[in-house]
Amino acid sequence: MGQLTFIIADDHPLFRGAMRQALSGIATDTVIVEAGDLDTARRQAGLNSDADLILLDLTMPGVSGLSGLIAFRAEFPSLPVVVVSATDDPTTIRRALELGASGFISKSASIEQIREGIRAVLDGGIWTPGDIDLGSEHDPEIGALIARIQTLTPQQGRVLGMLAEGLLNKQIAYELSVSEATIKAHVSAVLQKLGVDSRTQAVIQLSKIGAEVLHQPG
């Protein structure tokens, strides 16, 4: 492989160091960018538009469950996202893949397993921990919600991710360089597609998808 650019988004410096070690063994020439929160990760993804892959922690600052994944897939649709989490139950893994992750690596994985997973995704595959039955969604409400989220446009997905971060309409408008009226229209469309009446309800619905994630350490 030629030069590869990776973004590591995790708020634990020690774990970022471990991931850096794993990534440096994948190619002879690697550029590794680190981020300790979602805002920095988003900024780095914008600055490194040629990045080959981002490793995204589910529980760092700015992320509520799977909201960070939703926001990233909406904003950077061509950037493969590999979720890295200590919460590696089948439900969390399956939901992450349904919401657009290209792979899922457990924080308990060995360096070699991490490399194997990243190589698989770089080759265009989907990677999950071996010998794990992802099953199917047992909660019909969550299944319906994920299906609704999948109907959002990229811009609506970005707006939903920012709602989950607690940003106000004027802050979202500033971030996306559009008018506040445009954001109001996007918010209305998001609420309608999710079948809720308020932004608070939208955030509550979103948190249900990653409820297991929220109650566990990153």
Side-chain angles (χ1 to χ4, degrees), residues 52-142:
D52 295 280
L53 185 143
I54 181 167
L55 294 154
L56 182 68
D57 180 26
L58 290 181
T59 52
M60 65 181 175
V63 181
S64 170
L66 291 159
S67 67
L69 170 62
I70 294 168
F72 247 94
R73 292 302 302 134
E75 191 166 353
F76 305 102
S78 62
L79 176 62
V81 178
V82 173
V83 170
V84 183
S85 180
T87 308
D88 54 6
D89 60 281
T91 299
T92 301
I93 297 171
R94 186 183 62 254
R95 291 175 183 174
L97 296 179
E98 287 175 347
L99 290 168
S102 296
F104 193 106
I105 292 174
S106 169
K107 285 199 171 183
S108 61
S110 68
I111 294 281
E112 198 42 59
Q113 286 171 323
I114 292 170
R115 286 177 183 156
E116 189 181 346
I118 290 168
R119 286 191 186 104
V121 172
L122 290 173
D123 287 340
I126 299 289
W127 174 265
T128 58
D131 303 325
I132 195 163
D133 179 10
L134 298 182
S136 56
E137 185 57 61
H138 60 273
D139 186 331
E141 185 186 350
I142 298 292

Side-chain angles (χ1 to χ4, degrees), residues 13-201:
L14 281 176
F15 187 75
R16 291 203 303 270
M19 294 305 292
R20 181 180 276 276
Q21 182 186 347
L23 293 171
S24 62
I26 288 178
T28 51
D29 189 5
T30 55
V31 175
I32 299 173
V33 180
E34 297 184 22
D37 57 56
L38 189 65
D39 274 348
T40 306
R42 186 187 287 130
R43 200 159 52 245
Q44 291 294 359
L47 291 171
N48 296 275
S49 57
D50 59 342
D52 295 280
L53 185 143
I54 181 167
L55 294 154
L56 182 68
D57 180 26
L58 290 181
T59 52
M60 65 181 175
V63 181
S64 170
L66 291 159
S67 67
L69 170 62
I70 294 168
F72 247 94
R73 292 302 302 134
E75 191 166 353
F76 305 102
S78 62
L79 176 62
V81 178
V82 173
V83 170
V84 183
S85 180
T87 308
D88 54 6
D89 60 281
T91 299
T92 301
I93 297 171
R94 186 183 62 254
R95 291 175 183 174
L97 296 179
E98 287 175 347
L99 290 168
S102 296
F104 193 106
I105 292 174
S106 169
K107 285 199 171 183
S108 61
S110 68
I111 294 281
E112 198 42 59
Q113 286 171 323
I114 292 170
R115 286 177 183 156
E116 189 181 346
I118 290 168
R119 286 191 186 104
V121 172
L122 290 173
D123 287 340
I126 299 289
W127 174 265
T128 58
D131 303 325
I132 195 163
D133 179 10
L134 298 182
S136 56
E137 185 57 61
H138 60 273
D139 186 331
E141 185 186 350
I142 298 292
L145 177 59
I146 289 174
R148 290 191 192 115
I149 289 171
Q150 289 168 338
T151 71
L152 298 178
T153 66
Q155 195 77 323
Q156 289 166 357
R158 291 175 74 179
V159 169
L160 177 59
M162 291 181 184
L163 288 179
E165 290 177 55
L167 298 187
L168 303 174
N169 284 0
K170 63 182 178 182
Q171 293 172 306
I172 299 174
Y174 175 78
E175 287 283 336
L176 300 183
S177 303
V178 297
S179 71
E180 205 170 329
T182 299
I183 295 304
K184 284 181 180 174
H186 282 316
V187 171
S188 295
V190 168
L191 299 184
Q192 187 175 8
K193 285 187 176 181
L194 295 188
V196 296
D197 299 323
S198 71
R199 48 199 293 150
T200 303
Q201 288 179 345

